[in-house]
């Protein structure tokens, strides 16, 4: 079941993602619980996009995943992350219980924000667009 997160609530939740620039472009954010997100990610993995260095790489996967979720499911509580320190792009999603998860759109791997592998997903000194 969908739920709505208000702009100010999302802004407050994202404070735990420190030292980053966050652009929240909407006033309301639609989301689902983690089980709904996992179903969406499973469907996303069926697309079988191929990595092509510098032509269709991490930033392209992350942008396309955000667009896919918005277009196919009408959910916008998904952020596109450009992580400058790690030179990597990926996504974060906020669930209906206001938890943050990191999504690697190239593989479909998902971690709760607090448990993400920090060697690849730092989220500091990053740009996050919702």
């Amino acid at each position: 079941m969908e739920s709505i997160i208000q702009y100010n609530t999302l802004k407050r939740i994202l404070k735990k993602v420190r030292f980053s620039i966050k652009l929240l472009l909407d006033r309301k954010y639609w989301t689902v619980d983690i089980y709904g997100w996992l179903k969406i990610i499973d469907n996303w993995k069926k697309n079988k996009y191929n990595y092509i260095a510098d032509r269709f790489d991490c930033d392209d996967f992350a942008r396309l995943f955000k667009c896919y979720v918005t277009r196919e499911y009408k959910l916008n509580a998904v952020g596109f992350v450009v992580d400058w320190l790690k030179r990597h792009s990926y996504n974060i999603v906020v669930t209906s219980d206001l938890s943050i998860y990191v999504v690697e759109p190239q593989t479909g791997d998902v971690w709760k924000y607090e448990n993400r592998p920090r060697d690849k997903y730092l989220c500091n000194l990053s740009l996050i667009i919702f």
Side-chain angles (χ1 to χ4, degrees):
M1 186 169 132
E2 291 181 6
S3 61
I4 298 173
I5 303 170
Q6 298 295 326
Y7 172 92
N8 286 334
T9 302
L10 184 59
K11 186 176 175 182
R12 179 179 46 80
I13 291 163
L14 290 174
K15 284 184 180 181
K16 72 166 62 173
V17 183
R18 303 175 336 172
F19 308 116
S20 60
I21 298 169
K22 301 160 195 94
L23 299 176
L24 281 64
L25 304 177
D26 296 307
R27 290 181 287 154
K28 295 179 182 178
Y29 292 86
W30 279 260
T31 191
V32 291
D33 63 18
I34 186 57
Y35 303 106
W37 280 110
L38 293 174
K39 288 178 189 174
I40 291 167
I41 293 163
D42 279 343
N43 289 335
W44 161 258
K45 291 192 296 190
K46 295 174 186 173
N47 289 310
K48 306 270 189 226
Y49 296 109
N50 295 317
Y51 177 93
I52 304 169
D54 294 321
R55 296 180 71 186
F56 194 84
D57 53 7
C58 62
D59 60 301
D60 303 297
F61 273 90
R63 282 192 301 257
L64 189 57
F65 178 75
K66 180 172 176 35
C67 292
Y68 168 81
V69 169
T70 302
R71 181 169 188 239
E72 297 299 319
Y73 299 94
K74 309 300 184 260
L75 302 175
N76 60 344
V78 54
F80 164 63
V81 180
V82 178
D83 194 328
W84 288 300
L85 284 180
K86 295 299 179 179
R87 298 183 48 80
H88 189 48
S89 290
Y90 44 91
N91 299 95
I92 59 175
V93 299
V94 179
T95 59
S96 55
D97 70 353
L98 306 180
S99 295
I100 300 173
Y101 287 81
V102 173
V103 178
E104 174 51 75
Q106 294 179 66
T107 62
D109 292 334
V110 181
W111 302 272
K112 196 156 188 174
Y113 176 76
E114 296 82 3
N115 301 327
R116 72 197 182 282
R118 285 177 171 79
D119 61 324
K120 195 168 182 181
Y121 308 96
L122 192 58
C123 293
N124 291 348
L125 292 180
S126 59
L127 170 66
I128 305 171
I129 302 173
F130 271 85

